[in-house]
Amino acid sequence: ASASIDGLACIHDTSQSTEDAALKSVLNVNGPIRDIGFFGPQYEGLFCVTTSESLSLWHHESAQRIHDFGYDIRSHLSSLSNMDIHYLLGCQWQNDSPTKQQLNLIAGTANGEAAIFRVD
């Protein structure tokens, strides 16, 4: 996968011999992308964190958006944590066992505090 400030995340199959054949999906995130990564039991999901501190989740094979947390996510996280969340650091897929699989979002404050939130 690759992404950029143009707001597009591209999924490639690197086993293909040509660039045209390798391009599988193009996702329009509608904002400059800072961080992407795969998640899910089969890594079928893709998270996208933008430079404007929004988060969206995608099914990359079908190029369908699963959920867009939008720009209100920081105020929502602030109310959950009693911290003034200023930025999103990124996500991490936790795959400890078949019964403990979850996507976590790491967010922080301007004072250097950080918190981990389960993304549901």
Side-chain angles (χ1 to χ4, degrees):
S2 64
S4 148
I5 60 170
D6 66 1
L8 300 178
C10 300
I11 310 300
H12 305 275
D13 179 354
T14 57
S15 69
Q16 299 298 315
S17 61
T18 68
E19 187 176 336
D20 289 340
L23 183 62
K24 293 298 184 189
S25 300
V26 177
L27 315 173
N28 186 353
V29 177
N30 293 322
I33 302 168
R34 182 183 53 212
D35 187 30
I36 62 170
F38 294 100
F39 71 94
Q42 304 298 315
Y43 296 97
E44 67 279 6
L46 184 80
F47 68 81
C48 298
V49 177
T50 68
T51 61
S52 49
E53 312 307 332
S54 68
L55 171 67
S56 59
L57 307 178
W58 297 78
H59 182 263
H60 65 78
E61 290 283 328
S62 65
Q64 296 296 309
R65 189 185 318 248
I66 298 168
H67 191 78
D68 183 3
F69 291 91
Y71 301 103
D72 295 337
I73 190 168
R74 289 181 293 167
S75 61
H76 178 69
L77 296 176
S78 293
S79 66
L80 289 175
S81 65
N82 293 323
M83 297 168 58
D84 192 13
I85 300 294
H86 292 100
Y87 56 88
L88 309 179
L89 289 167
C91 292
Q92 180 182 27
W93 174 244
Q94 183 178 352
N95 190 17
D96 295 340
S97 70
T99 59
K100 179 122 178 161
Q101 298 178 339
Q102 65 188 39
L103 182 63
N104 295 314
L105 171 65
I106 301 99
T109 71
N111 296 330
E113 299 173 303
I116 300 173
F117 302 90
R118 181 179 175 164
V119 178
D120 291 322

